[in-house]
Amino acid sequence: MTERDSVAASVTLDEALALTRLPEEELLRRADAVREAAFGRRISLCAIINARSGNCGMDCAFCSQSRRSTTAIPVFPMLDAESLRERILRLAELPVCHIGIVTSGGALQDEELAVVGQVLQSLPEPVRARVCGSLGRLPQASLERLSGWGLRRFHHNLETASTRYAAICTTQTWDQRRATILRARSAGLSTCTGGIFGLGESWEDRCRFALELAALHADNVPVNFLYPHPGTPLADQPPLEAGEALRIIAVLRCLLPQATLRICGGRPTTLGARQTEIFRAGANALMTGDYLTTCGNGAAQDLRMIADAGFEVVQP
């Protein structure tokens, strides 16, 4: 049994909730020590490509790409193979270990999947090894095709705790999301699965979610914070305070001691001047550059932040 399995098996919800009641400095001190033991002072970067935007039939309450949202965002179909390949190669010039192809919608159609396959097979192997796919609820056969084309990692968020999920999305169940993750693993792909915080969930929801991730043996966990897009059902949801966001990261680190915690969407707006504290709170990775429909920090800015904090970037 690994340490991660042990945490999933032995930590109770009450014990997890006890972490949330610690003073901020004590909680961050614990999280920092766990991160240091597991990952030292090395920080991994990733970046993403919005390869198909908007017009999504899902009704996720936080998402500006939902067809039910009225948020003013770019809407476009699947990028052609040449454009997608060019964007991957451009990102490959940066010190990012993972380059994510992200598409809106429930799942890619076969002809769109073929574009991804064409691009993957055209890439030099060192670049192809860095490409990930966030391509929706794909069936087993499609995931196996991706694996055969050289994709190494598949991203599919669970979003929030199973007990909270129905309040956020009704067009897909939490169990369906979990099943996609298990299919990807069965196809030989590593997986990246996390969620979004600041949806109005309680600390109990957050701790339950962390324990569900642990039980799923999640070893790559993206952590997003709500950006309340105008035109979405959560437009009026108050953004998290920076201190609460840091506490969320720290609790996740304590409950997922061996997992890569990657801070992604909402980082600049939620954390602001306290972004440099994410590492002290237990994060060992982050997404650099822009997100799907909002702006992020540029790579140069993030590299300076990491160096100024006394950390080093993992090279691809």
Side-chain angles (χ1 to χ4, degrees):
M1 178 179 287
T2 67
E3 182 177 0
R4 187 168 62 249
D5 295 330
S6 177
V7 169
S10 63
V11 175
T12 68
L13 183 59
D14 285 343
E15 289 169 335
L17 283 167
L19 289 170
T20 72
R21 294 188 285 270
L22 291 173
E24 181 177 300
E25 280 303 311
E26 170 64 13
L27 177 59
L28 267 60
R29 185 192 65 77
R30 291 192 187 190
D32 191 38
V34 174
R35 177 205 47 73
E36 187 77 22
F39 300 99
R41 304 191 72 77
R42 292 160 58 81
I43 304 299
S44 173
L45 299 181
C46 76
I48 59 172
I49 297 165
N50 188 358
R52 186 179 75 181
S53 181
N55 202 31
C56 176
M58 305 288 286
D59 68 352
C60 302
F62 54 82
C63 187
S64 61
Q65 298 201 65
S66 171
R67 194 177 296 160
R68 305 182 189 190
S69 162
T70 59
T71 311
I73 61 165
V75 176
F76 52 84
M78 183 75 185
L79 296 178
D80 61 67
E82 182 179 354
S83 298
L84 182 56
R85 185 177 190 275
E86 178 185 344
R87 295 192 189 188
I88 291 171
L89 291 173
R90 193 183 311 150
L91 287 177
E93 296 174 359
L94 301 174
V96 294
C97 293
H98 303 286
I99 301 167
I101 301 170
V102 185
T103 56
S104 64
L108 281 190
Q109 301 300 311
D110 285 346
E111 60 272 16
E112 296 167 321
L113 193 72
V115 171
V116 176
Q118 178 183 343
V119 171
L120 284 170
Q121 293 174 92
S122 75
L123 293 170
E125 171 56 25
V127 176
R128 180 166 57 245
R130 295 157 68 184
V131 176
C132 311
S134 182
L135 310 173
R137 193 173 69 228
L138 294 180
Q140 188 72 36
S142 296
L143 291 163
E144 290 175 357
R145 289 173 70 191
L146 286 167
S147 181
W149 289 328
L151 193 75
R152 306 288 176 83
R153 178 178 292 180
F154 194 78
H155 167 265
H156 197 69
N157 276 344
L158 288 170
E159 307 301 11
T160 191
S162 60
T163 50
R164 172 74 178 163
Y165 184 83
I168 301 304
C169 179
T170 67
T171 48
Q172 182 174 204
T173 67
W174 193 90
D175 285 338
Q176 285 175 315
R177 285 189 174 274
R178 182 179 182 275
T180 298
I181 295 161
L182 296 179
R183 285 198 301 274
R185 290 179 182 173
S186 178
L189 298 165
S190 69
T191 55
C192 179
T193 183
I196 182 166
F197 297 87
L199 307 175
E201 76 281 351
S202 66
W203 272 109
E204 181 172 334
D205 293 325
R206 294 166 184 169
C207 290
R208 189 182 303 277
F209 185 35
L211 295 178
E212 288 173 332
L213 288 169
L216 192 58
H217 304 170
D219 54 7
N220 291 282
V221 178
V223 179
N224 300 279
F225 301 111
L226 176 70
Y227 180 93
H229 291 278
T232 64
L234 293 178
D236 296 325
Q237 179 68 30
L240 289 174
E241 296 288 339
E244 185 170 7
L246 291 169
R247 291 179 69 85
I248 289 168
I249 297 169
V251 168
L252 290 171
R253 169 51 69 212
C254 291
L255 296 175
L256 300 165
Q258 298 296 314
T260 286
L261 290 186
R262 189 177 304 277
I263 313 306
C264 299
R267 170 165 59 96
T269 52
T270 299
L271 289 157
R274 299 190 71 180
Q275 286 185 68
T276 57
E277 296 181 57
I278 61 175
F279 310 122
R280 189 165 69 95
N284 68 297
L286 56 84
M287 181 181 290
T288 191
D290 291 338
Y291 308 114
L292 293 175
T293 60
T294 58
C295 295
N297 293 347
Q301 182 180 355
D302 281 336
L303 290 171
R304 283 195 304 272
M305 178 182 74
I306 292 166
D308 290 347
F311 291 80
E312 62 176 306
V313 173
V314 176
Q315 296 301 310

